[in-house]
Structures are given as C-alpha cells and as structure tokens.
Amino acid sequence: MPDDATNPATSLLDWLSSLHDGSSSDLPDTHEPFALLWAIGRAAGRRDRLVNWHKAKLELRERLQAHDLPDYAIADFSTLNQSPVWELTEAQDTSQPRGGLEKSVYELLAADLRVRERAVTTLLEKHFSEKPWEKLLLATDLTEKPFDGFGHPPYVPVGMHFRDRRALHSANVHAPIQGGIWGKAREEAKSIVVSGGYEDDEDFGSEIIYTGQGGQDESGRQVRDQDLTRGNAALVNSMATGRPVRVIRGAHGDPDHSPLEGLRYDGLYRVEEHWSQRGASGYRVWRYRLRAVEAKDVNAAASASQLTFPTPKTPPLDSLGEDEPGRKAAVTQRVVRSTAVANRVKKIHDHTCQICGTRIETPTGAYSEAAHIRPLGRPHNGKDRTNNVLCLCPNHHVAFDFGMITIDASGKVIERGVEQHNYELRRHPDHEIAEENFQYHREHHESQSG
C-alpha cells in the first residue's frame, strides 16, 4: 500500500487520484484503472484475493463482450507489479502467475464501504468519464452494494446520462423498462421518469408538476380516468413520509430542463403535494408537486468534472439513529408563509380545531396548526390571507391536506374514511372564509368515484 501509516484510506485514495493513464504504450490507456475496478469488485464480494491471471483475463473478456464494452483487459499482469497496490506471486510454472490487490489494500476495500465507494467513483470520474459506467460496474461485480432502491443509487452521480431505459435498469436508477414510476401501492416511490409522456406534466427545473400513471392507450392518449393504485399510491406514500424520490429526465420532456438525447439522473426530489383533477383530455388524472431536495439548478452537467457524487448510507437497522444527535445547517426551498396570518387565525379560534373542537394544551400553552385551504405555490397560487386559512388540530390538518376531508357549500365536513362523525365547520364572526377556496379544495381532491 502507498505509505501513510496514520491514514491508509487517505493514502490509497490519494494514490488513485494521481494514477496516470497509459503506463505502457503497448497497452490500452485504461488497463490498470479497469483492473483496479475488477479487483475492487472481488474485494467487495470477498472473493479470492489472488487468482490465476490468465483465467481472469478470459473471464474479463467474456464479461466485456457480454456488455458490449471495449477490451480493457491487460496483456500481462506483470505490468502491474510495479504499482504498490498490486501483488504478484511467482508460481512454479511462471507462465501461470497469480495476482491481485496487496493484502492490506484488499482488506481495507473489503471492510470499508465508504472507502470502496470513493475508490470506485475516483476511478470512474478520472478514467472513464466518457464510458458507460453502468456497464463497467456490471462487468466488474460492483453492483453488490446494499441498496434498497431509495435515495441516490450506488456509484451514480447526479447529472449522469444513460442511453436508454435498460441502462437505467442496469444501474439501479429506475427498474421499470416502460413504467414512469418505480414503486408499489404499499410503499414509497423510488423514482420517476419525466419525459413528456403525459400532456399535463409541467417542469420548472427545481419544481415539477408530475402526472401519475395509467389511463392511456397504446398511442399515449389519455382515454380513461387514472386510479390511485400502484405507483400513483406510492407517490402519495412518499408525500406522507417525506422520503425523497429520484427524478430522471428524458429527451422528450421540457427542452429547458431535459437532455438532448437519452435520459439523465437529476437527483432527489420530495413530493410536497398531491391531488386529482380533470386533465387536458377531460379524464381524471393524479398530479404531484415535487421539489428538488438540493438547493441548486438540476439542469444538465456540462462535463464529468461538474458531476456530484453522492455517498449513500445504508446502515444496519440496529445502528440507525444516534445516542447524541448532532446538528447541521441545511438549505431548503419552500414557499414562505406569513406567521402573522397563521397566528391571527389561531388566536381568533383560541387554538381550537374548527372541525372537531379539540384544543391541545402543552406546558408552554395551547397548540394548533394553520391549514391553507387553497394551497400556496404552483399550480394553485393560493393567497396567504386569513380567508384562506383554517385553525385545525394536527390530525385534521393532515386529513384536510390529503383530501380525506372536504367542506361542502353548507359547511358540512365530508369525511372519506371509514368512521363518520357528522362534523360541521365551526365558524367565527371575526374570521371570514372565501367560499371559492373551499370550492377549489373540493375540486382539487375530486373523489375517484365522482
């Protein structure tokens, strides 16, 4: 291993960063970087450290051909023996040498997932910036990292381009070959593809108004209502839990925010809102407002040097959380709401829920929440005024935002859950509510059976 007794990981990563292409003019300029990827893959899977190099070359060439990759294989393993990370053993039959990573390097990469991640991304970024990374990872057994499908995919930088859906699938970015949403009805969504497949989609870069799946014929026309099932339900679950969703943009989406060809991974977004409405074709569609988690423009990266490499964390369940949680600064994007408006409405109602009459007492005083009837922000553009705000308890605030509760023209509370309470909206003479906001909320959360 490169000399640094105090920090072997730093020493290894520094050495990889300084590795030059083409140590021999007779060999491909990526021969050692590719061999390193292969060897790191072996360490990740705890496979034999030292192997017969001639057999290894045959295996590698078969894998490269299977994935339609150039021949990066090495003509002679002995050419690597001058590097401090490699070990070559002299066998009795010198034509059959065994070789692999030096033992301490192998053990470090096998044991430390984060060092392994940084080693792989360093090699990919420096030596394979114009190559199909997802195929390289498959060919070198580097898709082994624990990944439950949520968050940033292993070794995939934000801004990375993919040729087609199969490439997305291979890299664990988006599993469905055709569907636009990766997710099931009883879990959160993992990813979505925004590629102009639905006429109601709107793309503003860091904010997306996304149309759910279903209801189209073979030509892509909307011919029936969408149901709140499968991926559509998964996106609602994402909103409920706050778990981010990966966004992939395709070449047929909004030209201001989409790649010129193929598909591009554009990072993590949160589902902030969902509703149903009559779409441009007259059929009911489910819509979702997503906002980028990273406070930055997610347009295409111009070169590999501008790509960002996330480091996903997948700790075991028994290690989740912290005994002494720390604090860190975070940047978020959100609509700025008027605290004065919310406080005014809550004071008028003495922090008493206008639906159920609950008043929550805490050691520091009463607690209630201000719920906007017509949502703020695109595409609703509700006003942050007292006539667009209700004073609600936390339970009914969530139910109202999810459309499980609506208010009819007479003030009756319409509940969509199993249990019915026959609530009437409590009003106060000092708090006038614009009826058109209730109408918008009802239409916004139009029922599936309506």
Side-chain angles (χ1 to χ4, degrees):
M1 176 183 284
D3 294 330
D4 188 339
T6 59
N7 195 331
T10 298
S11 176
L12 174 63
L13 295 174
D14 287 346
W15 183 85
L16 290 173
S17 297
S18 64
L19 180 66
H20 295 293
D21 290 334
S23 59
S24 169
S25 59
D26 297 328
L27 297 171
D29 60 4
T30 51
H31 73 286
E32 184 167 10
F34 177 73
L36 284 165
L37 289 175
W38 164 80
I40 294 171
R42 295 190 68 84
R46 287 284 184 176
R47 299 171 66 192
D48 291 342
R49 180 174 67 90
L50 301 178
V51 298
N52 180 296
W53 183 242
H54 292 280
K55 291 182 179 178
K57 282 197 301 180
L58 292 175
E59 175 190 333
L60 286 171
R61 286 202 167 99
E62 288 178 0
R63 291 184 174 213
L64 290 168
Q65 291 173 4
H67 294 289
D68 193 27
L69 287 167
D71 187 358
Y72 301 122
I74 302 170
D76 185 353
F77 187 80
S78 62
T79 61
L80 301 176
N81 201 32
Q82 302 303 313
S83 296
V85 300
W86 293 102
E87 178 181 330
L88 179 64
T89 62
E90 293 292 344
Q92 289 183 349
D93 180 357
T94 56
S95 66
Q96 297 289 314
R98 288 165 54 82
L101 290 175
E102 188 270 333
K103 185 176 181 180
S104 64
V105 175
Y106 175 93
E107 291 297 336
L108 172 63
L109 291 167
D112 195 321
L113 174 62
R114 300 196 65 174
V115 173
R116 195 159 70 238
E117 289 174 348
R118 291 309 306 163
V120 171
T121 52
T122 297
L123 290 167
L124 290 174
E125 182 181 23
K126 182 172 182 180
H127 302 283
F128 300 95
S129 61
E130 303 300 326
K131 305 297 190 298
W133 290 359
E134 68 281 3
K135 291 184 177 182
L136 281 167
L137 295 173
L138 287 170
T140 53
D141 284 334
L142 279 167
T143 55
E144 49 72 41
K145 290 197 331 181
F147 183 57
D148 60 2
F150 295 98
H152 290 297
Y155 307 122
V156 176
V158 176
M160 182 172 176
H161 285 73
F162 296 85
R163 182 179 63 187
D164 53 28
R165 289 291 196 96
R166 293 193 179 278
L168 286 175
H169 174 89
S170 297
N172 285 321
V173 180
H174 188 77
I177 300 300
Q178 293 184 323
I181 304 173
W182 181 8
K184 300 178 181 179
R186 295 189 178 276
E187 67 179 20
E188 301 98 324
K190 298 178 175 71
S191 59
I192 63 171
V193 175
V194 183
S195 190
Y198 287 88
E199 58 194 359
D200 297 296
D201 283 350
E202 300 175 69
D203 193 345
F204 304 101
S206 62
E207 185 180 36
I208 298 169
I209 309 299
Y210 183 74
T211 306
Q213 63 185 188
Q216 291 185 325
D217 62 14
E218 294 181 356
S219 67
R221 294 181 305 162
Q222 198 72 33
V223 295
R224 59 184 179 276
D225 292 346
Q226 293 182 347
D227 297 321
L228 193 58
T229 57
R230 300 184 300 150
N232 294 343
L235 283 170
V236 176
N237 295 335
S238 298
M239 172 187 163
T241 64
R243 199 172 199 174
V245 176
R246 285 189 301 282
V247 167
I248 300 97
R249 285 185 170 91
H252 300 295
D254 188 309
D256 290 338
H257 305 287
S258 302
L260 295 177
E261 59 183 5
L263 303 115
R264 186 185 67 225
Y265 173 46
D266 278 350
L268 301 179
Y269 283 62
R270 281 197 174 89
V271 182
E272 294 191 341
E273 190 180 357
H274 85 284
W275 67 96
S276 66
Q277 67 180 60
R278 296 291 171 181
S281 297
Y283 294 95
R284 183 176 298 113
V285 295
W286 287 93
R287 306 193 75 195
Y288 308 84
R289 183 158 62 89
L290 297 93
R291 191 180 298 275
V293 172
E294 294 88 356
K296 66 176 183 178
D297 189 350
V298 293
N299 287 341
S303 67
S305 63
Q306 292 177 283
L307 301 179
T308 59
F309 290 79
T311 303
K313 298 179 181 179
T314 52
L317 289 177
D318 60 1
S319 69
L320 293 176
E322 297 180 63
D323 292 334
E324 298 181 7
R327 297 179 183 272
K328 65 178 181 178
V331 179
T332 60
Q333 297 179 343
R334 52 167 294 195
V335 176
V336 178
R337 293 163 171 79
S338 171
T339 303
V341 169
N343 288 343
R344 171 64 177 163
V345 171
K346 290 189 280 188
K347 183 176 181 180
I348 289 174
H349 293 277
D350 193 25
H351 295 278
T352 302
C353 179
Q354 289 183 254
I355 290 178
C356 66
T358 297
R359 188 175 189 274
I360 301 174
E361 291 285 354
T362 76
T364 58
Y367 176 81
S368 61
E369 296 182 357
H372 285 83
I373 304 168
R374 179 170 183 155
L376 308 184
R378 290 182 294 217
H380 322 290
N381 300 318
K383 296 179 180 180
D384 195 19
R385 301 290 185 183
T386 57
N387 65 6
N388 188 37
V389 174
L390 295 176
C391 177
L392 300 179
C393 67
N395 283 355
H396 283 119
H397 187 178
V398 172
F400 189 80
D401 281 354
F402 271 80
M404 296 304 295
I405 285 176
T406 56
I407 312 296
D408 71 11
S410 69
K412 181 177 177 59
V413 177
I414 309 300
E415 297 177 274
R416 293 181 182 164
V418 175
E419 188 176 1
Q420 302 293 313
H421 298 87
N422 295 317
Y423 290 132
E424 295 282 340
L425 184 73
R426 296 175 58 259
R427 295 182 183 266
H428 191 285
D430 294 335
H431 180 205
E432 181 180 351
I433 300 174
E435 294 300 326
E436 60 267 25
N437 291 331
F438 282 137
Q439 180 180 351
Y440 185 92
H441 182 265
R442 289 193 295 272
E443 295 173 352
H444 181 56
H445 292 287
E446 192 174 12
S447 70
Q448 296 184 74
S449 60

